[in-house]
Amino acid sequence: MTKALRRIVVSIVLCFSHFWLLSGSERLSILQGSDAVVVGKVQWFAMYPWIDGWHFFGTIRVTRVMWAASSIESSISYRLICDCCTWWPVSQLLRRTADEGIWVLRKVDHSQRFESSGTCGDPGFRPMLYEEEFRLYLARRAGVADRHR
């Protein structure tokens, strides 16, 4: 292999490895502002369009707490105000969150009411395939917090 070809191959590998690092950090960025990370399934009970977008309300049946800043009940109130969801047809949110998954949440107030820790249109729901990656990140974050106390 010539030097020029070797440099091109190395450059391509470095570009793609950087891409994978970015996608991993983007996946984990939702965890940074969270108050709770739970595994559970949502049960939707109300949704309606309003001036500021679609409003979704439901209850998350918590099967496991991966991390929480305070105690979490087995059933928590959840809301999402989606100001960037399409008006019609109704958001794909209901279908995307039908299965049990990981919910990354922040508290609405000092009660057990939560909303997504994500940004516009992100319900805070992640499929279970991210469980191990999230668990490792949360363990590292807890270890760093313990060392700074």
Side-chain angles (χ1 to χ4, degrees):
M1 186 182 292
T2 66
K3 282 186 177 182
L5 184 58
R6 192 175 305 143
R7 285 182 183 162
I8 292 171
V9 169
V10 169
S11 297
I12 291 171
V13 168
L14 288 175
C15 284
F16 282 106
S17 65
H18 181 66
F19 170 76
W20 288 112
L21 289 173
L22 286 177
S23 66
S25 64
E26 288 171 1
R27 233 186 346 264
L28 296 171
S29 66
I30 190 172
L31 296 170
Q32 293 173 0
S34 65
D35 292 319
V37 181
V38 301
V39 174
K41 186 172 181 174
V42 71
Q43 190 172 24
W44 297 107
F45 61 81
M47 64 177 195
Y48 56 88
W50 197 243
I51 298 167
D52 58 347
W54 277 96
H55 289 233
F56 297 90
F57 296 91
T59 301
I60 298 174
R61 305 285 181 213
V62 177
T63 55
R64 188 164 31 94
V65 177
M66 293 180 70
W67 179 84
S70 59
S71 65
I72 299 291
E73 297 174 5
S74 61
S75 179
I76 56 176
S77 179
Y78 171 80
R79 76 171 187 192
L80 174 67
I81 300 172
C82 185
D83 59 353
C84 58
C85 290
T86 58
W87 281 93
W88 195 260
V90 177
S91 172
Q92 299 296 317
L93 174 75
L94 304 178
R95 186 175 32 188
R96 287 189 296 155
T97 59
D99 297 326
E100 181 177 70
I102 302 167
W103 291 89
V104 184
L105 308 166
R106 71 174 161 246
K107 281 193 169 195
V108 173
D109 50 31
H110 298 293
S111 68
Q112 285 287 309
R113 292 177 40 212
F114 289 87
E115 63 187 4
S116 170
S117 187
T119 56
C120 178
D122 180 350
F125 177 85
R126 299 295 184 270
M128 292 302 294
L129 64 97
Y130 294 127
E131 181 179 18
E132 183 65 17
E133 183 179 10
F134 281 17
R135 187 187 64 73
L136 290 171
Y137 175 83
L138 292 167
R140 275 195 313 268
R141 185 170 85 172
V144 169
D146 289 342
R147 277 186 254 138
H148 290 294
R149 287 185 185 180

